[in-house]
Amino acid sequence: MTFEEAKVYAAEHVGNRPSYPGRLSGKIAVVTGGAQGFGFGIAQALIREGAEVVIANRGEKQGQAAVKELGDHSFFAQCDVSVPESVENLMIQAVEHFGGIDLFVSNAGVLKAGSLHDMTPENFEQVTKINYNGYFLCAKYASEIMKAEYEADPNRWYDIVQINSKSGLVGSKANFAYAGGKFGGIGLTQSFALELVSWQIKVNSVCPGNYYDGPLWSDPVKGLFVQYLNAGKVPGAKTVEDVKEYYLSKSPIRRGCTPEDVAKAIFYCVEQTFETGQAIPVTGGQTMLN
């Protein structure tokens, strides 16, 4: 199936969604970076609420393991979100397997902390390609499928949700590559929202606080606790526990963000038909909008 054929096929099958119990009954979702961390937890929550979910992940072994755990309402598609052909193929596979796309969750991301002095151009480019360019590519190709579906059934709404970060709302010391891409992502969200609303495609960003229990933070070799300790991001910190305590103290609700917290914000984005172009904080009060 070509991409053009996928658009036609999705349009022809837009009224033929399966119905399962839950808030997202009849929805077909794609979650990039869906094999671990926030992405996997989001996928679990979507399936629990009645959606069928394509798990897009760069690593095949990890992706297949995730689908095995998630069960029959999931499907794995290998994808590198920084490569246009790979993203286009992801949309084709989603349509071939489930028949269309109603909700696209752009979650895939990487983080490489470091000072301006230490950050290499190569690392900066890698972070930007995945976190910023990757979101553009996902929105570009997902919206084409959704436009075709809208033309076939103008009564339906569609959603693109970027998993952004609190670092997209406030600057982040020694973490500018990540924060810069996330700030830019909110600019993309607002601009995409203005352009795509004519096809009833809502575009929003969800900005989570820190998910301390996930691999992004807790990996003992390359997790953020270790990266931030080594980068001197937390003054006076001598251990990983010092870094963790510093971050816990910054939130009035003294815990980390969870995938379930993020999923609730995604449900809001989908269910609310009078909201688009927003950046929704889920930070336990650490970051508050002015």
Side-chain angles (χ1 to χ4, degrees), residues 11 14 144-155 158 198-199:
V14 70
E144 289 299 311
I145 300 295
M146 294 174 180
K147 287 177 183 178
E149 292 172 320
Y150 169 79
E151 297 294 343
D153 185 356
N155 295 315
Y158 304 90
S198 297
W199 292 273

Side-chain angles (χ1 to χ4, degrees), residues 63-131:
Q64 295 287 8
V67 165
K68 184 177 180 180
E69 184 172 348
L70 290 169
D72 292 339
H73 299 300
S74 66
F75 170 74
F76 168 65
Q78 192 169 24
C79 179
D80 182 341
V81 299
S82 68
V83 178
E85 295 80 8
S86 184
V87 176
E88 184 180 63
N89 188 55
L90 166 63
M91 309 305 163
I92 294 171
Q93 290 188 70
V95 171
E96 284 182 329
H97 193 81
F98 285 132
I101 302 171
D102 302 293
L103 166 62
F104 193 97
V105 181
S106 182
N107 168 75
V110 296
L111 191 156
K112 292 185 180 292
S115 68
L116 189 59
H117 174 76
D118 295 328
M119 178 66 65
T120 66
E122 293 78 15
N123 282 346
F124 182 85
E125 182 179 4
Q126 181 191 13
V127 172
T128 304
K129 280 179 65 177
I130 294 174
N131 295 356

Side-chain angles (χ1 to χ4, degrees), residues 33-69:
Q36 64 174 340
F38 269 142
F40 183 76
I42 289 167
Q44 285 182 309
L46 299 183
I47 291 171
R48 190 163 57 244
E49 291 295 339
E52 294 187 299
V53 179
V54 176
I55 300 298
N57 202 71
R58 188 163 53 179
E60 182 175 3
K61 183 177 180 181
Q62 195 175 45
Q64 295 287 8
V67 165
K68 184 177 180 180
E69 184 172 348

